[in-house]
Amino acid sequence: MYIRVIRHGPRPVATDVSGRTAMTKSLARLTAVASAALSLAFTATSPALASAEKCNNDFFASCVSVNGTNLHVNWIKSRVGLYAKTCRYGHSQVLINNRHYADSNGGRDKDYCSNNYFGQTVTTGTWNVARNYTKGTKICSKFWWRSGATGSGTVNGYQSFGTACATVG
């Protein structure tokens, strides 16, 4: 009869003076190199953009698109989000820092329609701005649907689909 000794637990690992293993040091080094490379890549290729696309809901929504780089805005688009195969008669307003900037179709109402079974956003107006704005400027769009309704939440027969905003900078 003989006795077999079974060792439990991990085998001892070689460590340096600081107590870190070779594997730990390699992972730390690799992480530092990868982090530095990624931060350089994002710094070199991603300027602060003024571009954004925002909607305040999925359907029957006001939407705004802003295109530009840094604090320069090239253009603004107002859009309306619609359910599948629906139309809404109305117009969009563009507001910059809560001040009226423009109306789609010169403020005249028009039919805006989704011809997609899954619904879609339809452009109601585009304005070429080509100027700089200060950081934090709010550019908003509000679609007004000519529903003919009166009462709470309506203004002269119009109902708002809400306001969608993008912030410059």
Side-chain angles (χ1 to χ4, degrees):
M1 177 168 157
Y2 66 92
I3 299 176
R4 192 167 126 191
V5 177
I6 300 175
R7 190 182 279 195
H8 294 284
R11 290 185 297 190
V13 178
T15 59
D16 66 3
V17 176
S18 67
R20 294 190 319 173
T21 66
M23 178 71 103
T24 304
K25 288 192 314 185
S26 293
L27 283 174
R29 190 176 302 120
L30 178 63
T31 303
V33 169
S35 175
L38 280 174
S39 69
L40 283 174
F42 284 124
T43 302
T45 61
S46 298
L49 297 178
S51 298
E53 292 188 31
K54 303 284 184 176
C55 289
N56 66 335
N57 204 344
D58 288 334
F59 298 106
F60 294 132
S62 297
C63 303
V64 66
S65 297
V66 179
N67 174 270
T69 54
N70 297 318
L71 301 176
H72 185 80
V73 174
N74 298 318
W75 53 256
I76 300 168
K77 281 187 185 182
S78 60
R79 298 179 298 133
V80 60
L82 299 171
Y83 279 109
K85 299 285 188 172
T86 57
C87 295
R88 288 295 180 258
Y89 187 71
H91 68 279
S92 288
Q93 282 184 322
V94 173
L95 308 165
I96 299 178
N97 285 334
N98 297 320
R99 293 182 140 174
H100 183 265
Y101 176 78
D103 292 302
S104 64
N105 202 33
R108 293 178 308 278
D109 292 339
K110 178 181 168 181
D111 261 329
Y112 296 98
C113 300
S114 163
N115 21 354
N116 187 316
Y117 283 107
F118 300 104
Q120 70 187 102
T121 56
V122 179
T123 299
T124 58
T126 302
W127 295 269
N128 293 318
V129 179
R131 64 163 282 195
N132 291 327
Y133 286 96
T134 58
K135 185 175 181 165
T137 298
K138 283 178 63 174
I139 299 175
C140 303
S141 176
K142 179 184 284 200
F143 185 79
W144 290 97
W145 169 40
R146 178 81 171 148
S147 66
T150 58
S152 180
T154 64
V155 178
N156 299 325
Y158 287 91
Q159 286 180 294
S160 169
F161 281 6
T163 305
C165 296
T167 303
V168 176

